[in-house]
């Protein structure tokens, strides 16, 4: 029977963590980052869900090979507690991984509805009673602080988002630089709420389209010069690229709506659902993780 | 990895069933009915959730004793595949089990929100990837056909409700009779939709209160003289007393909203969520199960 805790001292309290990753491509850098996590691996369960496409089949095989190899060769104390791999049992929304196609607005609702179902399938089938924390980590997030779990858990927030950036070559300055990547972490605006109120019940608000200006305050642009890693802001919408959730929030019913929920979908709809459950999501503008550069 | 099916021939296809029961009191008759189910027990997992109250403690002990005794003494083929017992990790909404208190309208929202959280906790922590069907069966449902799983699954519906009645002594006729018990299985009405539209966003519609006439068509009163067990009607709201759900519907994200969702909550909100996911719940007016008579 369940007597688990969820506290700001998860290592000390030996709290179990479930890391959930929807994956369509396998990135070596993602896996290299995962195995370097300094949270006790025997308290970590990894869960993956992959589409039943040709690309998904390839990624599954590569992922399985890496898992088998690691779990066999690692010292016993470094092995993960458990690893679950699921395949999506619904049709993929769009097969293209081409970024220009994926970001087209008309594809976004179908794509994000499909992603929401994948997240829900993964969550509903892996959330064992022993789990205290769920870390959502996208398969293309290839670099995080190795102490991300304990760093974020120390905030003791029901839902907490890191700030996802992307490294790139600044050809003008001829040096590496970084830019914000996840625009789904935001604080709401009057303009967005009005826009939503004028929409049909199945329509959704999307961030990052010029013809749908929401004037929301994006966490992507809230990092501060002092770089205080623990600077915290409240959020009304969240992204799923690096998101720590107390397991009890999911257990109370917070999932990723695959339909328009207050004109929001997927992770942004999840944040709204968390608020409907009486909890306040938050984010860490200076706590950066990095997305693969496609 | 998952290759489970969910078909109208669950016994033939060896499909796994999860029976979920939120329980605050243990009824001998509930357990006697469960162990008589004719679906192969090795394909059945039972999941229970009980409140952390004095009454919940007693029920947990009694339930555990019955489980231990049964699983030890039953022939190997009659033992259940797995049994999970959870305790609620949130405060109970109302401690009284007195029916007159429980049915008071002002208590209903808190009570049903709490019940929704219990159902979600139970669901999110027991829905193993191998599960094809989820049968929600309330702890006070003490009599069902022993073939309820295969009977209901044969309809191949995403969500299907049985009709819950209650046996009682008709003192005028001096003989046993039966009356409808679950009023949460209904087809929507213009009046209810209008009433909802006039409410605040946190207010909920409730069935069975004279000062909130919804004029919904209740499945409780749809049984037909021919008694055709397979007569099927579409439903917009469902109760949870005896409800068969395809596991994929839950996996896509359908849960029991503990907050007002289109002015509906818990199982009725679940039905609305199923419809938002593009699926249509249904019910069997002549397929009766029986509630304990308090």
């Amino acid at each position: 029977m369940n007597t688990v805790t969820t506290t700001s001292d998860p290592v000390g309290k030996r709290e179990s963590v479930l890391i959930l990753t929807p994956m369509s491509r396998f990135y070596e850098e993602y896996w290299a980052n995962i195995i370097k996590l300094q949270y006790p691996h025997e308290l970590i369960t990894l869960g993956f869900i992959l589409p039943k496409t040709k690309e998904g089949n390839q990624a599954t095989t590569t992922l399985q090979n890496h898992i088998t190899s690691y779990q066999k060769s690692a010292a016993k104390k470094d092995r993960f507690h458990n690893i679950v791999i699921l395949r999506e049992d619904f049709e993929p929304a769009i097969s293209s991984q081409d970024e220009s196609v994926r970001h087209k607005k008309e594809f976004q609702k179908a794509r994000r509805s499909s992603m929401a179902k994948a997240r829900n399938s993964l969550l509903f089938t892996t959330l064992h009673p022993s789990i205290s924390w769920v870390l959502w980590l996208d398969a293309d997030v290839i670099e995080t602080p190795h102490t991300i779990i304990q760093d974020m858990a120390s905030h003791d927030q029901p839902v907490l988002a890191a700030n996802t950036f992307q490294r790139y070559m600044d050809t003008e300055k001829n040096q590496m630089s970084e830019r914000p990547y996840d625009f789904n972490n935001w604080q709401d605006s009057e303009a967005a709420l009005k826009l939503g109120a004028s929409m049909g019940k199945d329509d959704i608000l999307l961030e990052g389209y010029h013809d749908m200006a929401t004037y929301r305050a994006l966490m992507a642009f809230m990092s501060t010069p002092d770089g205080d890693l623990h600077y915290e802001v409240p959020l009304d919408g969240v992204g799923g690229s690096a998101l720590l959730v107390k397991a009890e929030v999911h257990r109370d019913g917070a999932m990723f709506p695959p339909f328009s929920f207050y004109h929001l979908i997927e992770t942004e709809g999840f944040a709204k659902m968390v608020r409907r459950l009486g909890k306040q999501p938050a984010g860490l503008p200076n706590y950066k993780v990095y997305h693969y550069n496609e």
Side-chain angles (χ1 to χ4, degrees), chain A residues 248-250 252-255 272-279:
Chain A
E248 68 201 50
V249 174
H250 282 312
D252 279 352
M255 54 79 177
K272 178 66 185 175
M273 204 166 272
V274 169
R275 288 186 288 144
R276 293 291 287 150
L277 283 161
K279 306 265 166 74

Side-chain angles (χ1 to χ4, degrees), chain A residues 2-22:
Chain A
N2 48 331
T3 52
V4 300
T5 62
T6 306
T7 68
S8 55
D9 176 24
V11 177
K13 295 283 198 323
R14 306 271 310 154
E15 293 171 359
S16 292
V17 179
L18 177 63
I19 302 182
L20 296 182
T21 299

Side-chain angles (χ1 to χ4, degrees), chain A residues 252-270:
Chain A
D252 279 352
M255 54 79 177
F256 302 91
F259 46 79
S260 165
F261 181 69
Y262 291 82
H263 306 292
L264 302 171
I265 200 164
E266 206 224 346
T267 56
E268 294 165 288
F270 166 75

Side-chain angles (χ1 to χ4, degrees), chain A residues 128-286:
Chain A
H128 190 268
S130 64
I131 301 295
S132 296
W133 299 91
V134 178
L135 176 66
W136 290 93
L137 194 66
D138 275 355
D140 35 24
V141 170
I142 54 170
E143 184 188 336
T144 71
H146 301 326
T147 51
I148 184 171
I149 295 169
Q150 46 273 61
D151 291 348
M152 291 182 77
S154 74
H155 284 255
D156 201 24
Q157 287 288 357
V159 173
L160 190 67
N163 212 356
T164 303
F165 275 63
Q166 184 179 51
R167 298 191 191 279
Y168 72 102
M169 173 55 74
D170 184 335
T171 46
E172 269 181 36
K173 294 183 185 161
N174 200 27
Q175 62 182 31
M176 287 304 287
S177 186
E178 60 180 40
R179 58 193 168 205
Y181 191 85
D182 190 339
F183 301 108
N184 292 334
N185 295 301
W186 43 256
Q187 294 169 342
D188 225 334
S189 68
E190 280 301 312
L193 292 171
K194 267 190 196 164
L195 205 55
S198 71
M199 286 176 151
K201 78 174 169 54
D202 290 325
D203 295 337
I204 56 168
L205 290 160
L206 290 167
E207 204 46 59
Y209 293 90
H210 292 298
D211 56 345
M212 195 191 267
T214 63
Y215 302 101
R216 289 166 177 157
L218 304 183
M219 183 168 80
F221 305 113
M222 288 182 193
S223 52
T224 54
D226 66 0
D228 173 12
L229 291 179
H230 291 291
Y231 167 52
E232 201 179 273
V233 296
L235 294 175
D236 298 311
V238 299
S241 46
L243 186 72
L244 188 70
V245 181
K246 286 191 179 179
E248 68 201 50
V249 174
H250 282 312
R251 288 200 186 101
D252 279 352
M255 54 79 177
F256 302 91
F259 46 79
S260 165
F261 181 69
Y262 291 82
H263 306 292
L264 302 171
I265 200 164
E266 206 224 346
T267 56
E268 294 165 288
F270 166 75
K272 178 66 185 175
M273 204 166 272
V274 169
R275 288 186 288 144
R276 293 291 287 150
L277 283 161
K279 306 265 166 74
Q280 177 63 55
L284 300 175
N286 294 319

Side-chain angles (χ1 to χ4, degrees), chain A residues 22-79:
Chain A
M23 179 178 281
S24 48
R25 274 192 197 166
F26 178 86
Y27 294 103
E28 296 283 345
E29 298 89 337
Y30 164 87
W31 184 250
N33 183 66
I34 285 283
I35 62 181
K36 280 193 213 116
L37 288 177
Q38 281 171 19
Y39 200 83
H41 286 198
E42 75 267 22
L43 296 175
I44 295 179
T45 292
L46 305 176
F48 300 91
I49 188 164
L50 301 99
K52 278 188 182 156
T53 56
K54 199 180 155 195
E55 198 184 44
N57 293 343
Q58 286 170 352
T60 304
T61 306
T62 316
L63 174 65
Q64 282 175 319
N65 290 342
H66 279 75
I67 288 170
T68 309
S69 159
Y70 178 79
Q71 294 284 81
K72 269 190 191 165
S73 63
K76 206 161 182 188
K77 68 164 186 52
D78 292 333
R79 293 178 199 167

